[in-house]
Amino acid sequence: MSAVPLPPLPPTPEEGYRPGGRSIADIVDREHQQLLALLAQLNGPDATPQEGLPVLTAALSRHLSAEEQYLLPAVRSALPDVAERVDAAINADAALLATLKGLTDETLTEVAARVRRHVEGVGGLVAELRAVATEEELIRLGNRLEIAEEAAPTRPHPGTPATPPWNRIVEPAVGVVDKVLDAVTRRPTYLADLPEPPRD
């Protein structure tokens, strides 16, 4: 029996079934470290931020979209006492996306500060979810998060819905448009697209 109310997922074939994949907690923790490493690289003494700004924008846009579709709803369901912190995280995400929308070398410092606050706040929620969810639940949520990230927008859209069910409908549709624009403009959107990807 599940401890955490999961989003609609296919039924497991048999009792004791262990899904393949990575835990949502591990995925989010790793992405947070990658984002912080990229920001450190873009703010470093030899930085050429202009090269990395499109990648930072795309990575953050995908990350926040997927968290709002699967991580934060799971935290809210599993831990009703932290609902206010979930709401605060969603509001902070909207402010981060708004700042990201006009990202330049000059606004990079503000974005970095907001990302650090995001990592701290959401990281705390992830730790609490890890404490109450089973490993199977965390893996199944991780699989959904990774699927959501692949379909997510690569540009900030702070006006789109931030909670299910509407964000799970709108975000992939917006993501398709973003990906077409990325292909046409040859815009880099992944860490691997950078000349020197940051080490996490």
Side-chain angles (χ1 to χ4, degrees):
M1 185 169 149
S2 290
V4 176
L6 292 168
L9 298 172
T12 55
E14 58 189 52
E15 210 160 309
Y17 166 76
R18 183 174 171 78
R22 296 184 298 151
S23 154
I24 193 170
D26 292 343
I27 295 168
V28 170
D29 286 347
R30 182 166 189 269
E31 288 182 1
H32 283 169
Q33 293 312 309
Q34 288 174 327
L35 289 167
L36 292 173
L38 177 55
L39 283 163
Q41 181 175 308
L42 295 179
N43 282 309
D46 302 321
T48 51
Q50 212 54 47
E51 288 181 2
L53 295 184
V55 173
L56 176 65
T57 299
L60 264 173
S61 297
R62 282 192 300 265
H63 175 78
L64 297 176
S65 173
E67 278 188 348
E68 289 177 356
Q69 288 182 58
Y70 288 98
L71 174 66
L72 296 179
V75 170
R76 190 191 298 276
S77 296
L79 301 158
D81 292 348
V82 303
E84 283 186 16
R85 286 167 56 202
V86 171
D87 290 340
I90 290 170
N91 291 335
D93 287 355
L96 174 53
L97 285 170
T99 307
L100 199 60
K101 198 169 176 70
L103 181 60
T104 63
D105 294 358
E106 290 72 37
T107 59
L108 187 57
T109 302
E110 182 184 350
V111 167
R114 288 184 183 277
V115 170
R116 284 192 288 275
R117 287 196 294 271
H118 168 86
V119 167
E120 184 178 341
V122 173
L125 295 172
V126 167
E128 291 179 48
L129 178 65
R130 197 192 289 264
V132 299
T134 66
E135 190 62 19
E136 177 195 341
E137 290 166 338
L138 293 173
I139 290 170
R140 295 182 81 198
L141 282 167
N143 291 338
R144 298 308 274 184
L145 183 93
E146 289 185 315
I147 291 167
E149 281 196 340
E150 281 308 309
T154 58
R155 289 172 165 78
H157 299 280
T160 58
T163 54
W166 294 110
N167 62 347
R168 292 182 189 158
I169 296 166
V170 173
E171 298 273 300
V174 173
V176 169
V177 176
D178 282 355
K179 287 174 182 62
V180 169
L181 286 171
D182 294 340
V184 168
T185 60
R186 297 186 176 188
R187 175 178 177 251
T189 60
Y190 287 94
L191 295 178
D193 296 334
L194 291 171
E196 291 183 34
R199 294 175 186 168
D200 55 341

